Amino acid sequence: MAIAAVAGLAACSSETAAHAEVFGAAGYRGIATGKLASAPVSALEGCTVLSWQGGPAPDQARLAADSALASAGLAGKREERDKAFAAAGGASFGKNGLHELGAPPDARTAEGIGVGSPLADLHKAYDARGLKLGAAGRFEPPVAEKPGWRFEFTPAADGTVGGVAISDGVVKCR
């Protein structure tokens, strides 16, 4: 059901297998071709987070703790979940469908930006498109093809991009 909700954002591109697929507003072929795991790795704040196959495995104890948390403990759990999501990618679904799509570590945007890209290259590619530093410390340019959505580039300590995602900007999925 969650995968069907992504159809509009995750349309398959016409690229051949010989070319790397672009991670962007059209989504990522992995969703349509079954590369997304079927069991959630997190259910914090009503978000159902699925990793890419080979990513973090579901942890039943963590899932139970996610659903039992009082709001006072949410900030730390949210940060922990966001770091894992930035590193491995995946998809986060709320009651209204896709909330965030995280790129797998080897994916690149149409501009060639992905995990490991120097932040200087990120700025060259996106400054003219409205790149700004968001409240969560991620660089956020809007996604022109998807109004209301934005790219989120998580910086790594070594001056490179540590994670890439596309988000609707909603903090909670409920």
Side-chain angles (χ1 to χ4, degrees), residues 146-166:
K146 193 86 175 148
W149 286 71
R150 64 183 183 226
F151 274 105
E152 292 182 345
F153 297 97
T154 303
D158 65 357
T160 64
V161 173
V164 180
I166 298 173

Side-chain angles (χ1 to χ4, degrees), residues 9 23-26 109-111 122-123 125-134 138-153 164-169:
L9 184 64
F23 179 83
T109 67
E111 293 75 15
L122 173 67
H123 285 284
Y126 289 96
D127 276 353
R129 294 175 156 187
L131 183 71
K132 65 179 182 173
L133 187 60
R138 297 179 191 101
F139 290 100
E140 302 173 351
V143 176
E145 306 88 348
K146 193 86 175 148
W149 286 71
R150 64 183 183 226
F151 274 105
E152 292 182 345
F153 297 97
V164 180
I166 298 173
S167 172
D168 65 0

Side-chain angles (χ1 to χ4, degrees), residues 4-151:
V6 180
L9 184 64
C12 291
S13 71
S14 60
E15 295 182 41
T16 65
H19 295 94
E21 183 183 358
V22 173
F23 179 83
Y28 195 73
R29 183 175 302 136
I31 288 179
T33 59
K35 292 183 182 175
L36 200 57
S38 60
V41 294
S42 177
L44 189 62
E45 297 180 291
C47 295
T48 300
V49 178
L50 303 172
S51 67
W52 297 107
Q53 288 182 3
D59 177 344
Q60 295 306 318
R62 184 168 134 198
L63 286 168
D66 281 357
S67 60
L69 272 178
S71 52
L74 286 177
K77 283 293 188 181
R78 185 182 303 128
E79 184 177 339
E80 179 184 316
R81 177 198 61 200
D82 290 350
K83 283 181 183 178
F85 189 79
S92 177
F93 299 91
K95 68 178 183 177
N96 295 323
L98 184 68
H99 161 66
E100 186 171 16
L101 182 63
D106 60 346
R108 298 282 180 263
T109 67
E111 293 75 15
I113 304 299
V115 173
S117 296
L119 291 179
D121 290 354
L122 173 67
H123 285 284
K124 285 180 203 171
Y126 289 96
D127 276 353
R129 294 175 156 187
L131 183 71
K132 65 179 182 173
L133 187 60
R138 297 179 191 101
F139 290 100
E140 302 173 351
V143 176
E145 306 88 348
K146 193 86 175 148
W149 286 71
R150 64 183 183 226
F151 274 105

